[in-house]
Amino acid sequence: MPGVVAQVHVAYAIFQPRIAELTVQARREGARAALNDALLAAGTGYMELLRAEQELAISDEVVGLVEQLERTTGQFAKSGAGTEADHDRALTELALRRCEQLRAEESASAASARLAEQVRWDQPTILKPAETRMIPIELVSPDQSVQQLVATALSSRPELAECRYLVGEAVERLNRERRSPLIPSVLLSASYGGLAGGLGSDLRGAGDRLDADAMAYWELRQLGFGEEALQRESKARISQARARQLQMMDRVAREVTEAQLRISSGRKQMETALQAVESAEQSYRRNLERIQNGQGLPLEALQSLQALAAARREYARSIGDFNIAQLTLQRALGGRVEAGVSAESSAGQRSG
C-alpha cells in the first residue's frame, strides 16, 4: 500500500551531532591558522618591500656620492693634481653603482608585485611603503625564555586546537561504531487506502483503511565482520589524528625555537652592522677632510665609500631579517600580527 516510511538510526542520532560539532570546531581552527598564515605572508611581503625600498634609497645616495667623486677626480686630472687613470676608475665605479641602482629598482618593483599578490591589490599603481626608513620592531617580549614561548605556543596555536578536535571526532566515531550493534534502529510507517468486495464488476462494502506500523530492529553488518572492520577503521583514524597532533607539536616547538634564535642572532647582527656603519661614516668623513685640506687624492675616498655602502646595505638587511623573525615568532605563538609595534630604542633611531 502507498504510504510514508521513516527510518531512524538511533546510534547516528545520538553520536552524529557531537561528531558534527567537533568537525565544525576543527574547521574553524583551521580557518584561524590559514588567516595567521596569510597575515604572516602579507607582513613578510611588506617588510621585504620596505627593505628593497631602503636598499634603493641607499643606492641612490651612493650614486650621488660617486658622481661627486667623479667630478672631483675629473677636476684634479685637468689641473694636473691627479691622473686620468684615477678619473677613469671613478667613472667605472659610477657605472657599476648605476647598475646596482637599476637592480635595486627592479628588486623594489618585484617586491611590490609580490605584496600586491598577497593582499590581492587590483589597482594599477605600484605599492610603496608608508615608512621612509627601517627600524627594528618588537612584537614579543625578549625577556621570555624559549621554554616559556614554546609553552605559550602549544596552548594557543590554532593548528594544535584543530588536531585536538580531530582526535575527539575520531574517538566519537569509534564510540558510535562500538555501540551501533547495541542500539536499535526504528522504522515508522503509515499508509492509507480503501477496500471493497463483490462479484465481477459489482463492488460493495467499500471502506477506508489506515495502517500505522512501528518497528525496532538491530543490525549486525556482514555477520559482525563489517562491525569489526568499521571499528578498526575508526581506531586507525584515531592513530592518524594523534600522530598528526604529535607531529604538529614538534613542528610548533621547532618554529618557536628557530624564530627565537633568528631574533637573538638578528640583534647581534644589527649591533655589528651599526658599528660598521659608524666606522665607515667616520672613515669617509676623514678622507673628505684630507682631500679638502689638500692632503690626499679624491680616489682615496673610494674604498671608504664602498665600505660605507656595503655597511648601510648590511644594516638594512639585518633590520629586515630581524623584523621578519619577529613576525614569524608572533605567528608561531598563535597570535595575529598586529599593526601597532614599538621600535627598539637603541638601533631604531638610525635609518638603514
Side-chain angles (χ1 to χ4, degrees):
M1 300 293 291
V4 178
V5 179
Q7 187 176 10
V8 180
H9 297 285
V10 180
Y12 279 78
I14 294 174
F15 292 99
Q16 202 63 31
R18 177 58 178 167
I19 293 174
E21 179 183 356
L22 292 171
T23 303
V24 170
Q25 293 291 341
R27 298 297 181 268
R28 183 176 292 115
E29 296 298 332
R32 282 184 54 206
L35 177 60
N36 286 347
D37 291 341
L39 289 173
L40 174 62
T44 301
Y46 181 77
M47 289 299 170
E48 290 178 349
L49 174 61
L50 184 58
R51 179 168 55 187
E53 290 288 344
Q54 191 67 55
E55 292 184 359
L56 177 58
I58 295 172
S59 297
D60 293 340
E61 181 182 2
V62 170
V63 167
L65 295 176
V66 175
E67 287 177 347
Q68 180 181 359
L69 183 62
E70 182 271 331
R71 289 192 297 267
T72 305
T73 55
Q75 295 172 0
F76 271 58
K78 290 180 180 179
S79 64
T83 64
E84 289 292 338
D86 291 343
H87 186 218
D88 293 337
R89 186 176 177 185
L91 288 173
T92 302
E93 183 68 20
L94 179 59
L96 293 175
R97 293 301 174 178
R98 284 175 176 170
C99 289
E100 281 189 357
Q101 185 182 33
L102 293 175
R103 283 196 297 269
E105 292 177 355
E106 177 187 353
S107 299
S109 300
S112 174
R114 288 192 295 268
L115 180 59
E117 178 187 7
Q118 292 293 338
V119 301
R120 301 181 63 85
W121 183 257
D122 56 356
Q123 301 297 325
T125 56
I126 297 178
L127 295 177
K128 293 290 185 180
E131 291 82 3
T132 58
R133 65 177 185 176
M134 295 188 67
I135 57 175
I137 60 175
E138 286 284 356
L139 295 176
V140 181
S141 174
D143 299 330
Q144 301 185 63
S145 64
V146 176
Q147 291 76 12
Q148 292 174 328
L149 294 175
V150 171
T152 301
L154 292 177
S155 62
S156 59
R157 278 290 288 268
E159 292 91 339
L160 290 175
E162 180 184 11
C163 290
R164 288 193 295 269
Y165 285 122
L166 290 177
V167 170
E169 176 193 357
V171 170
E172 289 297 326
R173 289 182 183 275
L174 177 60
N175 293 333
R176 184 191 66 187
E177 300 304 333
R178 282 178 173 175
R179 291 169 173 77
S180 289
L182 305 177
I183 300 176
S185 298
V186 177
L187 181 66
L188 303 176
S189 64
S191 60
Y192 175 81
L195 293 175
L199 298 176
S201 60
D202 185 13
L203 300 178
R204 299 178 182 180
D208 297 334
R209 175 175 175 172
L210 175 64
D211 292 297
D213 300 291
M215 180 177 62
Y217 64 93
W218 285 258
E219 183 180 7
L220 195 62
R221 287 164 284 194
Q222 288 81 41
L223 299 178
F225 294 103
E227 305 296 338
E228 183 180 359
L230 290 173
Q231 291 180 20
R232 287 201 303 267
E233 179 185 358
S234 299
K235 291 178 181 178
R237 288 177 179 269
I238 294 175
S239 299
Q240 292 175 1
R242 287 176 175 171
R244 285 195 296 268
Q245 185 179 17
L246 293 175
Q247 182 182 15
M248 182 57 65
M249 292 174 66
D250 293 337
R251 177 182 172 183
V252 168
R254 189 263 302 168
E255 289 178 350
V256 172
T257 304
E258 182 179 347
Q260 181 67 7
L261 289 175
R262 289 174 58 192
I263 289 175
S264 300
S265 176
R267 283 197 178 91
K268 298 177 182 178
Q269 293 178 26
M270 286 190 300
E271 294 174 359
T272 305
L274 182 58
Q275 294 175 2
V277 170
E278 293 174 349
S279 299
E281 288 177 347
Q282 292 177 3
S283 175
Y284 182 69
R285 182 171 59 252
R286 289 170 180 172
N287 279 323
L288 288 182
E289 291 176 356
R290 291 182 69 252
I291 294 171
Q292 293 172 357
N293 296 330
Q295 298 176 356
L297 296 176
L299 197 62
E300 296 177 2
L302 181 59
Q303 186 175 3
S304 61
L305 179 59
Q306 294 172 342
L308 177 60
R312 287 183 176 176
R313 190 174 291 109
E314 183 61 31
Y315 183 56
R317 290 174 181 174
S318 62
I319 294 178
D321 293 339
F322 178 82
N323 291 345
I324 291 176
Q326 286 282 343
L327 297 177
T328 304
L329 180 58
Q330 178 77 359
R331 178 259 179 190
L333 295 176
R336 299 181 183 178
V337 177
E338 303 294 340
V341 296
S342 60
E344 248 185 33
S345 59
S346 59
Q349 300 303 319
R350 301 188 62 89
S351 66

